[in-house]
Amino acid sequence: MAPAHWRTAEFISDLHLDPAEPGPLAAWRNYLRTTQADAVFMLGDLFEVWVGDDTMDEPGSFEAEAAAILREAAQHRALFFMAGNRDFLVGPAFLQRSGMTGLSDPTVFVFGTQRILLSHGDALCLDDVDYQKFRTISRSPQWISHTLSQPLAARRALGKAMRAESQKLKDSGTEYADVDTAAALRWMDACDSHWFIHGHTHRPAEHSLQVDGKAARRIVLGDWDQQGWCLSWEQGVFQLNAFPLD
Ligand code: MN
């Protein structure tokens, strides 16, 4: 539930921040310094990969730098983080150090008179059966605690291997599954939400729908590969904007 004095909320996702890609990192830092929003929601895949909060303890690490950037921004506005399929190992230590509030997926954000459903979006890509199986396994407390108990070097290597694997898939021109519309409608209906904001698919768009006989929208955020994307919501008016990364 948003405090009554909030006027503007902004939503970003799929930045896939990575030390090897300075462009999105610089654009994100600049965005956090200049935005005037009362609240910024980061809806998953903020990081290309996250292999444990202890990465922050390595002096000069990328993860420590990211925490410092967030901490500075958190002094001026509320920051929210929802995990995506790349950064679901972000834990309470990172949230605390960076000054963000963690959100579970999905979450209903009540803003003014609206109930806005927020999700990363991967849980609705039902056609990708293999991924849904992996998702179920990898979100179990057993899988997470087993993975996080590996030495950091082994986790860094695992992260690198997963990144290479997904790059291979991308290069092969594989058609990725999209959000299942019927399932999205069921979620919206169950939450009594006429707005749904998510990312993950890298298919930025505004879809008009009907929920419970009333006009509704599903807004898909874009990834920060070729350009940056931000959805701003000001007093019930929303705008999905793209901007250059340099
Ligand atoms: Mn994703």
Side-chain angles (χ1 to χ4, degrees), residues 50-73:
W50 191 268
V51 296
D53 290 359
D54 53 346
T55 51
M56 283 188 300
D57 303 330
E58 290 185 316
S61 73
F62 168 72
E63 290 83 357
E65 188 188 354
I69 292 168
L70 288 161
R71 194 171 185 82
E72 193 195 315

Side-chain angles (χ1 to χ4, degrees), residues 146-163:
H146 173 75
T147 303
L148 292 179
S149 71
Q150 308 295 311
L152 181 51
R155 281 179 277 134
R156 288 258 190 227
L158 177 70
K160 223 171 151 176
M162 285 169 79
R163 217 156 57 206

Side-chain angles (χ1 to χ4, degrees), residues 213-231:
K214 279 192 280 185
R217 294 243 185 190
R218 176 168 72 89
I219 305 169
V220 188
L221 304 168
D223 64 294
W224 289 35
D225 182 17
Q226 304 298 324
Q227 54 198 340
W229 289 91
C230 175
L231 173 69

Side-chain angles (χ1 to χ4, degrees), residues 14 16 44-45 84-86 120 122 199-202:
D14 303 280
H16 294 268
D45 291 359
N85 51 303
R86 302 305 195 99
H120 179 58
D122 56 317
H200 179 66
T201 61
H202 300 193

Side-chain angles (χ1 to χ4, degrees):
M1 173 89 83
H5 68 272
W6 283 6
R7 291 290 165 265
T8 309
E10 289 180 344
F11 304 86
I12 59 177
S13 74
D14 303 280
L15 286 77
H16 294 268
L17 298 177
D18 184 298
E21 298 283 346
L25 180 67
W28 174 63
R29 178 191 276 132
N30 186 50
Y31 161 74
L32 286 177
R33 280 185 183 154
T34 54
T35 176
Q36 297 297 309
D38 298 297
V40 173
F41 290 79
M42 289 168 263
L43 299 181
D45 291 359
L46 176 61
F47 300 104
E48 172 71 3
V49 67
W50 191 268
V51 296
D53 290 359
D54 53 346
T55 51
M56 283 188 300
D57 303 330
E58 290 185 316
S61 73
F62 168 72
E63 290 83 357
E65 188 188 354
I69 292 168
L70 288 161
R71 194 171 185 82
E72 193 195 315
Q75 285 166 13
H76 305 285
R77 63 204 79 256
L79 301 182
F80 294 94
F81 175 86
M82 181 182 284
N85 51 303
R86 302 305 195 99
D87 49 14
F88 66 94
L89 288 176
V90 163
F94 180 71
L95 294 178
Q96 203 196 2
R97 174 110 53 112
S98 57
M100 296 194 289
T101 302
L103 300 174
S104 51
D105 186 356
T107 283
V108 176
F109 168 52
V110 180
F111 194 19
T113 57
Q114 302 297 334
R115 295 171 57 79
I116 307 169
L117 179 62
L118 307 175
S119 176
H120 179 58
D122 56 317
L124 288 169
C125 292
L126 303 180
D127 287 345
D128 194 343
V129 175
D130 288 344
Y131 171 68
Q132 294 302 337
K133 273 186 203 151
F134 171 73
R135 188 179 195 279
T136 304
I137 293 164
S138 64
R139 301 299 171 97
S140 71
Q142 293 88 331
W143 191 94
I144 291 172
S145 68
H146 173 75
T147 303
L148 292 179
S149 71
Q150 308 295 311
L152 181 51
R155 281 179 277 134
R156 288 258 190 227
L158 177 70
K160 223 171 151 176
M162 285 169 79
R163 217 156 57 206
E165 195 58 39
S166 83
Q167 188 61 44
K168 217 168 79 190
L169 199 68
K170 203 165 134 190
D171 293 344
S172 72
T174 304
E175 182 75 30
Y176 288 92
D178 202 351
V179 158
D180 185 280
T181 309
L185 281 169
R186 280 197 299 276
W187 276 26
M188 294 172 79
D189 199 20
C191 302
D192 192 22
S193 240
H194 288 79
W195 298 93
F196 181 17
I197 301 171
H198 69 82
H200 179 66
T201 61
H202 300 193
R203 292 174 170 105
E206 296 163 19
H207 301 278
S208 295
L209 318 156
Q210 291 273 322
V211 172
D212 208 12
K214 279 192 280 185
R217 294 243 185 190
R218 176 168 72 89
I219 305 169
V220 188
L221 304 168
D223 64 294
W224 289 35
D225 182 17
Q226 304 298 324
Q227 54 198 340
W229 289 91
C230 175
L231 173 69
S232 82
W233 182 295
E234 193 170 358
Q235 316 220 24
V237 178
F238 73 90
Q239 204 164 11
L240 183 59
N241 295 312
F243 50 88
L245 284 180
D246 33 90

